[in-house]
Amino acid sequence: MNFWLSFSLFACVATPATSKGRRCEFLARPSEVPKVRRAGHVNGTVQLCAYTDCCMGFFKLDGGQPRPDLLGCGMMNVQCPEPSCSASKHMDNYTKCVCSSDLCNANMTWMPQNRTDAYMNINAFSDLWRLGMAAIALGTLLLVAVLYVAAQWRQLFKDPSKNPPKILTIFLIFPHECNSVGDFASVWQACLDGTPVAVKAFPAAHAQKFIHERKVFELPLMEHSSLVQYLGAGRELRGGERVLVLELAEHGSLKNFLSLHTSDWRSSLKLAQFLTQGLAFLHSDLYRNGVHKPPVAHCDLSSSNVLVRSDGSCALCDFGCSTVLRCVQPGPATLGALETMLRPLQR
């Protein structure tokens, strides 16, 4: 959909007239303090919650032990039935918790999941299998590229009297610098009309990167089950950040999913199928009902830029480094020069 949203990251939470009264331990880096303080008044190392009865905590695992990295009141009104702060899963050496008693986020009880001997024994096999699947996917992409180029050359050297060749000149649009998402954007979970969504927030200093990715999402016919669904764009009312609103993939990135789960052959085949279909669609040059979708090169494909849904399917995301290609019919002068260049090859 191509529409503009104007809403707050707290769109699912009505702003109360008075504080909830929950007291939470507070800890934040200087750069994070302005945003985290929106969840409630801060007095020293204690925050009085304004939106929720939940305390939250993000902890970094150092040597297997959790170290507080970000503490405070919850920024969204979610359920927190547990009175104490505990966790058993982690992603990229970070873990989090929410709890429902005063100052409950000051300390965490870390209970890592036990792995069976069978799982440990197949760990090495899983790594080899993932490398094999990556090699198969790369080989498939290379084969498709070779076949496409061969088809274009075959069309080029056909008898001009029977079927004049259509020579295409390709140029690039949306020039940009390519950086990792973590350098300029953050991703939050929020609600839109009661539906959980993902919100990718760009600081005002990176407005051009927001504009670039929005342009890619808003290309005609840019809808496919193997691409993350784009729901709109807008500006966060209080912070001035530019935001993209996307579907929420429950399992997060493919990198995190594979680090936490053992995938059987059927599940892995489904992931590979969605990934290759998404790339094929992204690279396609589509004309439908008078509307044109140009080819798009992702330019930053990795397991961190593939999202896994709850049904086991996956979707490409993060088009901040993508390049859009436009195909145009050259004029007679360009065709004449190209014909002169190719004539020795036709002998």
Side-chain angles (χ1 to χ4, degrees):
M1 293 183 181
N2 184 4
F3 61 93
W4 186 265
L5 296 177
S6 180
F7 72 100
S8 167
L9 287 179
F10 306 105
C12 297
V13 183
T15 303
T18 59
S19 300
K20 291 283 186 178
R22 174 70 64 224
R23 295 185 303 121
C24 302
E25 188 77 11
F26 180 80
L27 173 68
R29 301 187 188 97
S31 60
E32 297 170 337
V33 168
K35 180 174 291 186
V36 180
R37 284 175 68 96
R38 300 176 197 168
H41 176 72
V42 175
N43 183 7
T45 61
V46 176
Q47 185 172 30
L48 187 63
C49 300
Y51 300 98
T52 178
D53 285 327
C54 301
C55 297
M56 65 85 182
F58 285 83
F59 296 80
K60 185 175 183 180
L61 298 178
D62 286 337
Q65 297 300 317
R67 177 178 59 82
D69 189 72
L70 179 64
L71 304 175
C73 297
M75 301 189 71
M76 290 184 295
N77 196 4
V78 297
Q79 290 185 345
C80 50
E82 297 296 329
S84 60
C85 178
S86 61
S88 60
K89 295 181 180 180
H90 70 90
M91 299 172 114
D92 291 338
N93 289 326
Y94 277 88
T95 188
K96 64 178 181 179
C97 72
V98 291
C99 51
S100 60
S101 60
D102 286 342
L103 304 178
C104 59
N105 61 336
N107 296 294
M108 165 177 277
T109 302
W110 173 237
M111 299 177 295
Q113 291 179 327
N114 293 325
R115 299 185 178 185
T116 63
D117 293 339
Y119 178 83
M120 299 300 292
N121 289 335
I122 66 171
N123 219 10
F125 172 79
S126 297
D127 291 340
L128 291 174
W129 181 87
R130 290 169 190 159
L131 289 174
M133 289 300 299
I136 292 173
L138 180 59
T140 302
L141 292 176
L142 291 175
L143 178 60
V144 171
V146 170
L147 293 176
Y148 177 79
V149 172
Q152 295 299 310
W153 278 89
R154 187 164 51 251
Q155 179 72 14
L156 179 65
F157 293 118
K158 281 185 177 180
D159 186 352
S161 62
K162 295 181 180 179
N163 189 10
K166 295 181 179 180
I167 304 174
L168 301 178
T169 300
I170 301 176
F171 65 91
L172 309 182
I173 64 173
F174 304 163
H176 58 281
E177 294 180 2
C178 180
N179 291 304
S180 64
V181 172
D183 291 339
F184 59 83
S186 57
V187 180
W188 301 79
Q189 180 175 336
C191 290
L192 180 63
D193 295 332
T195 301
V197 295
V199 174
K200 185 174 180 180
F202 297 76
H206 296 288
Q208 288 301 315
K209 298 183 183 297
F210 159 81
I211 293 172
H212 171 73
E213 187 161 4
R214 177 167 62 90
K215 283 184 177 181
V216 175
F217 273 119
E218 292 180 352
L219 288 171
L221 307 177
M222 192 69 172
E223 296 94 19
H224 193 273
S225 59
S226 293
L227 303 184
V228 66
Q229 185 181 2
Y230 170 68
L231 301 176
R235 179 175 296 178
E236 202 270 314
L237 293 179
R238 282 175 280 189
E241 294 182 325
R242 310 292 183 91
V243 298
L244 298 175
V245 186
L246 310 169
E247 71 167 297
L248 180 65
E250 292 79 357
H251 289 304
S253 71
L254 179 61
K255 176 182 178 181
N256 290 329
F257 177 78
L258 293 178
S259 69
L260 297 173
H261 300 83
T262 301
S263 182
D264 59 23
W265 172 251
R266 184 182 298 274
S267 300
S268 301
L269 189 61
K270 184 174 183 178
L271 291 171
Q273 181 181 12
F274 269 80
L275 177 57
T276 53
Q277 288 176 346
L279 287 172
F281 174 81
L282 203 62
H283 297 167
S284 63
D285 194 17
L286 294 182
Y287 291 87
R288 186 179 302 161
N289 299 326
V291 180
H292 174 223
K293 182 199 87 66
V296 179
H298 191 284
C299 298
D300 191 25
L301 182 63
S302 70
S303 58
S304 297
N305 294 334
V306 178
L307 299 178
V308 182
R309 303 185 180 102
S310 59
D311 63 357
S313 64
C314 64
L316 290 169
C317 68
D318 270 332
F319 300 111
C321 296
S322 297
T323 299
V324 181
L325 300 98
R326 299 284 189 183
C327 301
V328 295
Q329 186 71 34
T334 305
L335 286 174
L338 188 58
E339 182 180 359
T340 301
M341 294 171 56
L342 294 176
R343 189 173 294 124
L345 300 177
Q346 297 176 346
R347 295 173 182 173

